[in-house]
Amino acid sequence: MNTSPAERAEALIRRYFAACNDADHAALVDCFTEDGVHYFPPGLPGAPWRGAVAIADGWVWCVKTLGSRWTIEKVLAGADGREAVIEWTHWKTAVNEVLRGDEWYIFNDDITKIREIRAYYASPVNKGEPVNKLHDFDYQARGYALQAPSPAPKIV
């Protein structure tokens, strides 16, 4: 069955998030061009993350250290599949923090790898708040995840 470029872009983003949640280093590297870049708002040490290996290292560290889990809330992909934007939630279960935001994606020509991600947070990270979110936005009524997904089972 043929898929549209927009469907291929969304599938790649979902594969990337599954690899993040599984802390699967090899699968993460496989989602990016070798020279891929992940940009972040100010405040994240070492940002931006440059290169597929550095991006994979960063997310594996987050899962192991912060108990990170992610959900995709919304996806909009361009008809040509070259760009997409998503809304996500980052659940830092080991430190009881939740962060919401958006990311803009740029893909390679055949939509098999991510070339660039630009992350935008819904709000500055406020360590005094257990859930960082938009003020007075009804996440529950809009169908957003209110709990982190369960960790993947450990493979021995």
Side-chain angles (χ1 to χ4, degrees), residues 4-115:
S4 71
E7 289 168 327
R8 289 196 307 275
E10 181 173 347
L12 177 53
I13 292 168
R14 292 190 182 281
R15 181 167 58 92
Y16 164 57
F17 269 68
C20 286
N21 281 328
D22 291 343
D24 186 332
H25 194 273
L28 282 162
V29 169
D30 189 53
C31 288
F32 287 88
T33 60
E34 187 176 327
D35 61 347
V37 181
H38 195 315
Y39 295 96
F40 296 91
L44 182 69
W49 294 345
R50 294 183 184 280
V53 172
I55 295 166
D57 290 348
W59 293 134
V60 169
W61 181 90
C62 286
V63 170
K64 291 182 177 184
T65 307
L66 305 174
S68 291
R69 308 292 296 150
W70 294 268
T71 51
I72 297 172
E73 309 299 347
K74 307 283 182 194
V75 177
L76 292 173
D80 66 2
R82 296 300 310 273
E83 296 181 283
V85 65
I86 70 165
E87 195 171 24
W88 49 259
T89 304
H90 181 179
W91 309 88
K92 301 174 187 179
T93 64
V95 294
N96 294 319
E97 289 180 11
V98 179
L99 180 63
R100 296 193 189 271
D102 292 336
E103 288 178 338
W104 194 277
Y105 288 75
I106 298 176
F107 304 99
N108 64 350
D109 291 338
D110 61 357
I111 317 167
T112 57
K113 305 278 184 184
I114 300 166
R115 284 187 29 228

